[in-house]
Amino acid sequence: MNTLPVVSLTPSSSFKFFHFPSPLSHSPTFSFRKSIILTPTPRSRLLSFKSLNSLSPSQSQLSEEYDEDEDEDEEEEDEDDDEAADEYDDITDETRNTDDDEPEFPVDSPPESSRQRVEFRWQRVEKLRSLVRDFGVEMIDIDELVSIYDFRIDKFQRLAIEAFLRGSSVVVSAPTSSGKTLIAEAAAVATVARGRRLFYTTPLKALSNQKFREFRNYFNTDFCVQMFSVGMASSGTGLFHVDAIVLDEVHYLSDISRGTVWEEIVIYCPKEVQLICLSATVANPDELAGWIGEIHGKTELVTSTRRPVPLTWYFSTKHSLLPLLDEKGIHVNRKLSLNYLQMSASEARYRDDDDGRRGRGSRKRGGDTSYNSLVNISDYPLTKNEINKIRRSQVPQISDTLWHLQGKDMLPAIWFIFNRRGCDAAVQYVENFQLLDDCEKGEVELALRKFRVLYPDAVRESAEKGLLRGIAAHHAGCLPLWKSFIEELFQRGLVKVVFATETLAAGINMPARTAVISSLTKKAGNERIQLGPNELFQMAGRAGRRGIDDKGYTVLVQTAFEGAEECCKLVFAGVKPLVSQFTASYGMVLNLVAGSKVTRKSNGSEDGKVLQAGRSLEEAKKLVEKSFGNYVSSNVMVAAKEELAEIDKKIEILTSEISDEAIDKKSRKLLSANQYKEITALQGELREEKRKRTEFRKRMELERFSALKPLLKGMEDGNLPFICLEFKDSEGMQQSVPAVYLGHIDSFNGSKLQKMMSLDESYALNVIEDEPAADEPIVEPSYYVALGSDNSWYLFTEKWIRTVYRTGFPNTALAIGDALPREIMKALLDKADMQWDKLSESELGSMWRMEGSLETWSWSLNVPVLSSLSEEDEVLHMSQEYDNAAEQYKEQRSKVSRLKKRISRSAGFREYKKILENAKLTVEKMKRLKARSRRLINRLEQIEPSGWKDFMRISNVIHESRALDINTHLIFPLGETAAAIRGENELWLAMVLRNKVLVDLKPPQLAGVCASLVSEGIKVRPWRDNNYIYEPSDTVVDVVNFLEEQRSSLIKLQEKHEVEISCCLDVQFSGMVEAWASGLSWKEMMMECAMDEGDLARLLRRTIDLLAQIPKLPDIDPTLQRSAAAAADIMDRPPISELAG
């Protein structure tokens, strides 16, 4: 979901809180936009949720604020839930970098209560506002803003605030938890003191709620809160009197579901509004600042890579918790290497054997044997099976790692596990640990009783036992209120370990000494993917509490999938750059292009009167092409192409330096006349002998081809023979693969493989253009297909066949009417996605490999290993001509070798060798330049092209659906509604909401239908006996079935124009929403429910957010609007009320 939550800070004690869509595009999400008006009231009438206990000043305002598990992140997390719970078992106007400066650490603050600190800071803010009222805005300077805090701020914070006060937009890139939020706070104080407004946007709604609560206390604690929903005009009228917009966590620009909104804000934002962009450490903050500077105005970049609290990496195994890196911090700790672990295990085994020999008087001999054996073991490379065995033996239990953390005083800790069920199981597994003392346990019990009184439906009964021992889970399956409660206890030090999903890393202010990352891989769909460096550092950045800890700790854990070496590679990989995710949507197109609209009310003007000037397609194209991706592509492409041209020139110069002419010239200069004459003669003779060697090898290959071709052709119709393929891998190691032969590529007539090869020049074979000698066979390579014993498909030429065997699969059907094995395997190949990887290449054709499927697995299991195939079974017998060519090739190789020895004994060889060695160094330099060239080319290929093509495709769908005439810019009522709505597919939502079938529905039934439009990603999670959900009423089912026909028509229209935007319509959960809208209690809803509480709350909030939009949409039936408002009011109640905390 794309909409960004916003806290709007205004003077005169007036705040606004809502989700901030881009001014010209209603980004797809279902976020309830709210406005909060603060009015004076006596302190005794203060209405507010029990706020979280504040941290000391040295913590709270210097830590980054996040929240957890918004829709898209939670849906990603959902992918893991079916796993076993024991998974654990002009770039810028000014760029400033503060890394070389000493950090300014906060001084200890006086021991004040949290409320005293809040009121003290509020008084300072009010004092500044009074000064501005009395003496003008000139009173606002860096010293006045810094005086609000009772500690010294860091240099990068000061530089960023100074840039803001100069009127510049600011991009700040600094590590997680370094205190970027303080910059936004200072900007908010300055803006409110001027009597202006500031918008604070975040990528997560829950984070905006948290920021709202903080700012509410920050500016005035004596005001009560009234909430009501408001809309924001797409024309940008909501930006009146706005001086600044904060884009918190702007690195979410790379997020596929949120990135477009960030870019739209920057593109459409008025130039007089300052932007404050706060980002975690990324590889290209200069590109981000340069882009903003180019399209918005003067922008300054402030960067810092220094963490306020140093971070130390640890690695947990079954028996130890050791530093991950060596003393220099550049290599893996020797005690964690595979060889050391292997030797330790072997030493323990031999020690046991030695103990058994002591009674027989052979202790000394036994000790020697152990040492010698260990030395021998380390001399041999480990096989894959041996590596996996060592890793499995070192995998710790959760209790092992927790015991070490407790013993080394490394708590409290956030423990990241990549699925919610794994988090819950971890709590149960260690809930017998007692991490709290009696006093702390009493505080938890008291807090729990208070919470139960306030929110009885939000208590998670299954988590109470662990909570009373200082252990909790925090994930999308929990209610937001419960998660807030866990956060409060953690901040107070009453939860020592919280097991959380990875999205917590992008969220809550939860001060932890240690971050534990349970695995470097996570499940995505049906496969496991590795964490990216940015994800790893985001989670690791949670460790280390500023003002409390001298250092933070990140603990990586040994798993069956990866060990310390893999962890080191990721740690040293470096952060990745921001990547544009800018995509067009129906709302964007309608708001950019729409001009005149159909007027149905008589107001003295004719129908179709132009009410606004629509942009031309050319003007719209210019706006769309202002995206970050296009900026990067244009700038990076220019720079990369210039560097590529420079590299090509260098390679050309270096190539000339190692040419025969250049080497000959250097030889004449260094050698005497006789030495040169001798060396030259021998080199000429060597070149001639090498040429002959090449000819003999070619002849030998051709003779081999002439023997293979008829043999393979004769096996096209009979049994499927076994063959042996041979090639060298990327590391130069010889690999032999047994496989079952399917046939020549021509036998796959009309297949996906044949079509792919005919269209892709990568598979083209070199034609032998030279006229063959009279006694040479005329042979050209061809492609063949086989299935290997490793369940991989192989595409190869005769070059890669070592031999062919007589034995194989019988090509007979298992039963009458069944297909033959060859046809079955060809059909399985045709079902594959044709993602071939090149293994090796030669002038006689390349060798390619593609992963097989589960269906081919059983076939590959029946391919025998090479050792079980006898040489007597080989049917590839070479002709006498081949034997003669092979013998000649062998003799010629010997002749070349002897000639090289003669050259090495010649008089001038020492000087000539220096010339050759310099030539080798030049070749190595050329290799490095070519590698750099390949990286640049890859970077250029990764740059996303303009989104204009997608824009036009969506325009065509809008045109054909009669929402907008793309030629005349006339917008129809359907388009008006779609332009005003926010959702994943605005056009589909508008089609549904304008349908008269909804008008007669009662509020609960309307809520059920709306739920079917927003339930994408919600899952049933039956667990134990919980397998029940409410069924929708017949009326709701009938309406959804009626809408299915409309949905099918829109999907076909989208497919016609190659538009891929989801049209959600799923009645599965409509009954749950209908029941809630009918007034059922939360306990009745959750009784034996097959949904997690967090999932149901998220679905209900999405439905409320959609219902809340309907009364404000243009050209919607008033009866439907009243029903929607009633349904939203009924549903918005505890424990899912917005801002309940």
Side-chain angles (χ1 to χ4, degrees):
M1 304 296 176
N2 292 33
T3 298
L4 299 173
V6 173
V7 177
S8 170
L9 304 182
T10 66
S12 304
S13 305
S14 175
F15 290 1
K16 287 188 180 179
F17 169 78
F18 47 86
H19 294 281
F20 183 53
S22 61
L24 293 178
S25 170
H26 295 283
S27 306
T29 189
F30 300 98
S31 304
F32 190 32
R33 296 182 294 185
K34 290 186 176 289
S35 210
I36 295 164
I37 305 299
L38 304 183
T39 55
T41 188
R43 187 182 296 266
S44 60
R45 292 181 56 202
L46 179 64
L47 303 176
S48 65
F49 168 62
K50 182 171 69 70
S51 61
L52 306 181
N53 283 26
S54 302
L55 301 174
S56 66
S58 59
Q59 304 165 44
S60 59
Q61 69 283 351
L62 287 181
S63 60
E64 294 180 75
E65 307 296 339
Y66 295 94
D67 204 333
E68 194 248 359
D69 299 324
E70 281 294 289
D71 292 346
E72 305 304 328
D73 299 303
E74 292 166 338
E75 288 163 18
E76 290 175 12
E77 171 192 313
D78 295 346
E79 298 295 334
D80 270 350
D81 291 336
D82 295 330
E83 284 193 76
D86 61 352
E87 179 192 357
Y88 183 85
D89 303 16
D90 168 342
I91 296 297
T92 57
D93 294 300
E94 185 173 356
T95 300
R96 300 169 182 268
N97 191 306
T98 65
D99 295 343
D100 297 330
D101 302 298
E102 288 298 320
E104 299 182 45
F105 291 100
V107 297
D108 293 333
S109 57
E112 302 169 304
S113 70
S114 299
R115 186 168 184 83
Q116 285 176 327
R117 287 194 296 270
V118 170
E119 291 182 346
F120 184 53
R121 188 174 301 168
W122 170 69
Q123 291 168 355
R124 291 182 177 180
V125 173
E126 284 299 312
K127 179 182 176 182
L128 178 60
R129 293 178 64 184
S130 298
L131 285 172
V132 173
R133 282 194 298 267
D134 295 339
F135 302 102
V137 295
E138 293 79 9
M139 297 303 299
I140 302 174
D141 59 18
I142 183 66
D143 294 327
E144 287 294 339
L145 290 177
V146 169
S147 69
I148 293 171
Y149 304 100
D150 46 11
F151 55 85
R152 296 173 61 197
I153 68 172
D154 283 351
K155 186 169 184 178
F156 87 92
Q157 295 166 330
R158 176 180 285 271
L159 290 174
I161 296 170
E162 288 174 342
F164 172 77
L165 293 176
R166 285 194 294 270
S168 300
S169 291
V170 188
V171 173
V172 181
S173 176
T176 301
S177 297
S178 59
K180 296 185 292 292
T181 308
L182 181 142
I183 299 164
E185 290 176 356
V189 171
T191 303
V192 173
R194 293 187 192 120
R196 305 284 291 179
R197 296 196 297 167
L198 174 143
F199 284 172
Y200 195 112
T201 73
T202 78
L204 305 173
K205 182 165 60 176
L207 177 54
S208 282
N209 291 350
Q210 183 190 62
K211 296 304 299 180
F212 170 77
R213 288 192 292 266
E214 290 180 2
F215 279 114
R216 181 178 61 190
N217 293 329
Y218 194 78
F219 285 93
N220 199 326
T221 58
D222 292 334
F223 284 72
C224 73
V225 180
Q226 292 180 326
M227 291 190 287
F228 59 92
S229 58
V230 297
M232 173 176 284
S234 63
S235 61
T237 54
L239 294 181
F240 286 144
H241 308 300
V242 173
D243 272 4
I245 298 176
V246 177
L247 306 182
D248 199 357
E249 308 309 317
V250 76
H251 52 266
Y252 268 81
L253 184 143
S254 289
D255 184 86
I256 196 168
S257 62
R258 298 180 175 89
T260 296
V261 184
W262 288 123
E263 297 195 42
E264 288 183 301
I265 291 173
V266 176
I267 292 171
Y268 305 136
C269 181
K271 293 186 182 298
E272 64 270 15
V273 176
Q274 291 175 261
L275 296 174
I276 303 171
C277 304
L278 308 178
S279 171
T281 305
V282 292
N284 58 340
D286 54 337
E287 291 179 348
L288 177 63
W291 171 62
I292 296 175
E294 182 175 288
I295 69 171
H296 182 70
K298 183 180 179 182
T299 303
E300 298 186 39
L301 172 64
V302 178
T303 64
S304 174
T305 57
R306 188 188 300 276
R307 283 182 53 88
V309 180
L311 186 65
T312 302
W313 297 85
Y314 272 78
F315 191 78
S316 175
T317 65
K318 187 172 185 178
H319 304 292
S320 62
L321 180 64
L322 299 172
L324 175 66
L325 307 177
D326 61 12
E327 293 180 356
K328 294 182 179 180
I330 57 176
H331 297 294
V332 67
N333 186 341
R334 184 180 62 86
K335 293 183 178 180
L336 294 173
S337 67
L338 279 170
N339 284 336
Y340 187 90
L341 294 175
Q342 180 197 26
M343 291 179 66
S344 298
S346 301
E347 185 178 23
R349 184 170 65 251
Y350 281 110
R351 190 183 300 115
D352 293 340
D353 294 342
D354 184 49
D355 291 341
R357 284 190 289 267
R358 289 178 184 176
R360 299 191 295 273
S362 48
R363 177 178 180 180
K364 186 172 185 290
R365 185 173 66 253
D368 293 342
T369 304
S370 299
Y371 175 78
N372 293 333
S373 301
L374 289 175
V375 171
N376 292 335
I377 285 173
S378 63
D379 288 341
Y380 293 97
L382 296 170
T383 65
K384 189 173 182 179
N385 286 337
E386 289 172 335
I387 291 173
N388 289 337
K389 186 176 180 180
I390 292 172
R391 284 177 175 167
R392 285 194 295 270
S393 69
Q394 294 295 323
V395 174
Q397 298 291 330
I398 299 177
S399 55
D400 298 330
T401 304
L402 181 54
W403 184 83
H404 286 298
L405 293 178
Q406 190 177 16
K408 293 179 180 290
D409 192 25
M410 294 169 67
L411 298 178
I414 300 175
W415 199 308
F416 293 103
I417 298 177
F418 300 122
N419 70 84
R420 62 178 72 173
R421 190 160 294 166
C423 294
D424 291 336
V427 172
Q428 294 176 9
Y429 187 78
V430 297
E431 64 183 5
N432 290 327
F433 274 74
Q434 182 51 268
L435 304 180
L436 302 178
D437 58 32
D438 291 340
C439 181
E440 291 171 329
K441 184 177 179 181
E443 288 189 60
V444 173
E445 289 174 341
L446 178 61
L448 193 57
R449 285 198 300 271
K450 290 181 178 178
F451 184 83
R452 193 186 300 276
V453 171
L454 288 172
Y455 308 106
D457 289 338
V459 176
R460 202 164 190 244
E461 306 289 348
S462 61
E464 286 189 44
K465 183 179 177 181
L467 201 58
L468 293 172
R469 295 175 177 270
I471 303 164
H474 187 291
H475 54 69
C478 307
L479 278 172
L481 277 172
W482 180 257
K483 289 191 289 186
S484 296
F485 179 58
I486 297 300
E487 293 155 17
E488 176 189 346
L489 294 180
F490 195 88
Q491 290 168 358
R492 293 169 57 186
L494 300 178
V495 170
K496 305 299 183 181
V497 177
V498 59
F499 294 97
T501 50
E502 64 178 306
T503 45
L504 181 61
I508 308 302
N509 173 26
M510 292 180 66
R513 180 170 294 168
T514 301
V516 182
I517 301 171
S518 63
S519 173
L520 295 187
T521 58
K522 58 182 179 179
K523 192 176 181 184
N526 295 322
E527 61 179 352
R528 297 193 69 85
I529 61 172
Q530 188 177 51
L531 294 178
N534 293 32
E535 294 174 290
L536 176 68
F537 294 129
Q538 188 81 34
M539 287 184 279
R542 294 290 97 197
R545 299 167 296 177
R546 190 165 188 173
I548 299 176
D549 300 321
D550 294 330
K551 64 174 62 176
Y553 305 96
T554 296
V555 178
L556 304 174
V557 181
Q558 173 75 56
T559 72
F561 302 104
E562 62 268 329
E565 286 91 347
E566 288 78 11
C567 293
C568 275
K569 286 180 183 178
L570 194 56
V571 168
F572 291 131
V575 293
K576 299 296 182 183
L578 290 175
V579 179
S580 174
Q581 300 292 347
F582 189 84
T583 55
S585 66
Y586 290 112
M588 178 192 297
V589 174
L590 288 166
N591 283 292
L592 278 177
V593 180
S596 59
K597 60 182 178 180
V598 175
T599 306
R600 292 181 295 171
K601 293 184 179 180
S602 177
N603 55 2
S605 62
E606 297 179 359
D607 288 353
K609 180 180 178 180
V610 177
L611 300 181
Q612 63 185 62
R615 291 178 178 84
S616 67
L617 288 178
E618 190 60 34
E619 290 172 329
K621 184 177 182 181
K622 289 180 180 178
L623 273 176
V624 170
E625 291 185 344
K626 285 184 177 181
S627 71
F628 179 59
N630 282 312
Y631 170 83
V632 172
S633 64
S634 60
N635 286 273
V636 172
M637 280 181 123
V638 169
K641 286 177 179 178
E642 289 176 354
E643 187 174 353
L644 281 171
E646 188 177 344
I647 288 174
D648 289 340
K649 288 181 182 178
K650 289 180 179 179
I651 291 176
E652 185 178 351
I653 294 171
L654 294 175
T655 302
S656 65
E657 291 179 1
I658 59 173
S659 64
D660 291 342
E661 294 78 5
I663 291 177
D664 184 71
K665 185 177 180 180
K666 292 177 183 177
S667 301
R668 285 177 181 273
K669 187 175 181 180
L670 288 177
L671 303 177
S672 65
N674 290 334
Q675 290 173 341
Y676 171 75
K677 184 176 181 181
E678 182 184 11
I679 288 287
T680 303
L682 290 173
Q683 284 293 331
E685 187 178 349
L686 179 62
R687 281 193 293 270
E688 177 62 21
E689 296 302 331
K690 284 184 175 180
R691 185 189 64 79
K692 291 180 181 179
R693 184 184 63 182
T694 302
E695 288 183 356
F696 287 135
R697 185 180 63 187
K698 180 181 176 182
R699 183 179 180 86
M700 183 178 68
E701 289 285 355
L702 292 176
E703 292 291 351
R704 187 167 170 275
F705 275 33
S706 64
L708 269 172
K709 278 186 173 293
L711 178 62
L712 295 174
K713 186 176 181 180
M715 294 179 169
E716 292 287 333
D717 300 321
N719 293 343
L720 286 75
F722 299 132
I723 61 175
C724 177
L725 302 174
E726 197 169 67
F727 64 96
K728 288 186 178 180
D729 59 22
S730 58
E731 297 178 357
M733 300 293 292
Q734 192 80 20
Q735 302 290 340
S736 297
V737 180
V740 56
Y741 171 73
L742 254 66
H744 191 281
I745 188 62
D746 291 342
S747 67
F748 292 80
N749 191 29
S751 66
K752 284 168 60 177
L753 176 60
Q754 195 177 57
K755 290 177 183 176
M756 179 201 70
M757 294 179 65
S758 65
L759 296 173
D760 194 338
E761 294 183 358
S762 303
Y763 299 93
L765 293 171
N766 295 325
V767 179
I768 301 176
E769 298 178 351
D770 297 339
E771 287 292 329
D775 57 343
E776 281 188 1
I778 303 175
V779 179
E780 291 185 359
S782 301
Y783 273 115
Y784 303 87
V785 179
L787 177 66
S789 61
D790 58 351
N791 194 28
S792 295
W793 293 104
Y794 288 91
L795 181 65
F796 53 92
T797 63
E798 297 88 348
K799 160 76 178 173
W800 312 102
I801 301 176
R802 192 184 80 180
T803 189
V804 181
Y805 296 94
R806 184 178 291 105
T807 55
F809 291 163
N811 192 35
T812 56
L814 290 178
I816 298 175
D818 287 355
L820 297 176
R822 180 177 273 110
E823 299 307 318
I824 293 174
M825 295 179 71
K826 285 184 177 180
L828 292 176
L829 175 61
D830 207 43
K831 289 168 64 177
D833 56 5
M834 296 299 138
Q835 299 295 318
W836 294 88
D837 298 318
K838 186 184 288 188
L839 293 178
S840 193
E841 59 183 341
S842 83
E843 60 182 7
L844 296 174
S846 300
M847 185 174 187
W848 304 78
R849 180 172 63 190
M850 177 178 66
E851 290 295 326
S853 64
L854 191 61
E855 295 173 286
T856 61
W857 180 56
S858 58
W859 292 91
S860 66
L861 290 177
N862 288 304
V863 178
V865 296
L866 290 175
S867 59
S868 64
L869 293 170
S870 172
E871 291 184 5
E872 297 176 357
D873 290 331
E874 295 184 21
V875 292
L876 179 57
H877 300 296
M878 299 304 177
S879 62
Q880 184 62 42
E881 287 80 2
Y882 173 84
D883 292 338
N884 293 338
E887 186 63 30
Q888 288 176 318
Y889 176 64
K890 184 178 178 181
E891 291 177 0
Q892 191 62 26
R893 287 183 62 187
S894 299
K895 189 178 292 186
V896 169
S897 180
R898 290 194 298 270
L899 191 54
K900 286 181 178 179
K901 289 181 180 179
R902 280 185 59 194
I903 294 174
S904 66
R905 293 193 293 266
S906 60
F909 179 71
R910 179 175 296 178
E911 289 75 13
Y912 185 71
K913 185 179 179 181
K914 292 179 181 178
I915 297 173
L916 296 181
E917 287 176 346
N918 287 333
K920 286 183 179 179
L921 292 175
T922 303
V923 170
E924 290 299 321
K925 188 175 182 180
M926 290 171 60
K927 286 181 179 178
R928 290 193 295 271
L929 287 172
K930 289 178 180 178
R932 172 61 180 163
S933 177
R934 285 193 297 271
R935 288 195 296 272
L936 286 172
I937 292 171
N938 290 336
R939 176 77 171 107
L940 291 175
E941 290 174 351
Q942 291 171 0
I943 294 173
E944 289 293 325
S946 166
W948 182 244
K949 188 180 293 184
D950 291 335
F951 188 96
M952 288 307 300
R953 288 170 177 166
I954 290 174
S955 299
N956 292 332
V957 175
I958 289 174
H959 182 76
E960 287 196 31
S961 64
R962 298 290 294 169
L964 172 75
D965 188 325
I966 202 68
N967 300 313
T968 64
H969 299 228
L970 179 69
I971 186 170
F972 297 96
L974 174 62
E976 290 183 57
T977 304
I981 205 166
R982 292 174 290 112
E984 189 69 30
N985 187 323
E986 301 94 333
L987 183 60
W988 166 236
L989 292 175
M991 286 179 171
V992 173
L993 297 179
R994 292 182 55 79
N995 200 305
K996 298 303 180 184
V997 73
L998 303 185
V999 174
D1000 296 329
L1001 295 178
K1002 297 176 181 178
Q1005 295 169 342
L1006 178 60
V1009 173
C1010 287
S1012 71
L1013 304 174
V1014 297
S1015 61
E1016 191 167 17
I1018 303 294
K1019 294 181 179 179
V1020 174
R1021 306 174 193 281
W1023 182 241
R1024 297 176 184 163
D1025 298 327
N1026 300 340
N1027 52 15
Y1028 180 80
I1029 60 174
Y1030 284 93
E1031 295 293 331
S1033 64
D1034 292 340
T1035 302
V1036 172
V1037 173
D1038 291 341
V1039 171
V1040 171
N1041 290 338
F1042 175 80
L1043 294 173
E1044 182 60 41
E1045 186 176 348
Q1046 271 190 319
R1047 176 176 176 270
S1048 299
S1049 299
L1050 179 57
I1051 289 175
K1052 288 179 182 178
L1053 182 59
Q1054 289 189 161
E1055 290 175 348
K1056 174 184 175 182
H1057 295 288
E1058 300 180 34
V1059 172
E1060 297 181 2
I1061 302 179
S1062 173
C1063 302
C1064 182
L1065 187 66
D1066 185 358
V1067 77
Q1068 181 181 12
F1069 301 105
S1070 295
M1072 297 294 291
V1073 176
E1074 191 177 1
W1076 180 252
S1078 298
L1080 263 69
S1081 69
W1082 187 258
K1083 286 190 176 180
E1084 289 174 316
M1085 295 282 293
M1086 293 308 301
M1087 191 177 298
E1088 297 183 0
C1089 182
M1091 298 177 68
D1092 282 347
E1093 290 181 315
D1095 285 335
L1096 180 56
R1098 191 161 71 254
L1099 174 62
L1100 294 173
R1101 287 301 334 161
R1102 287 186 189 177
T1103 307
I1104 294 170
D1105 292 343
L1106 178 57
L1107 289 167
Q1109 293 185 65
I1110 295 175
K1112 306 171 192 66
L1113 297 177
D1115 206 57
I1116 296 292
D1117 191 291
T1119 303
L1120 179 63
Q1121 291 180 322
R1122 287 192 293 271
S1123 295
D1129 288 341
I1130 294 169
M1131 294 178 63
D1132 192 13
R1133 63 183 191 273
I1136 65 157
S1137 302
E1138 192 78 271
L1139 281 176

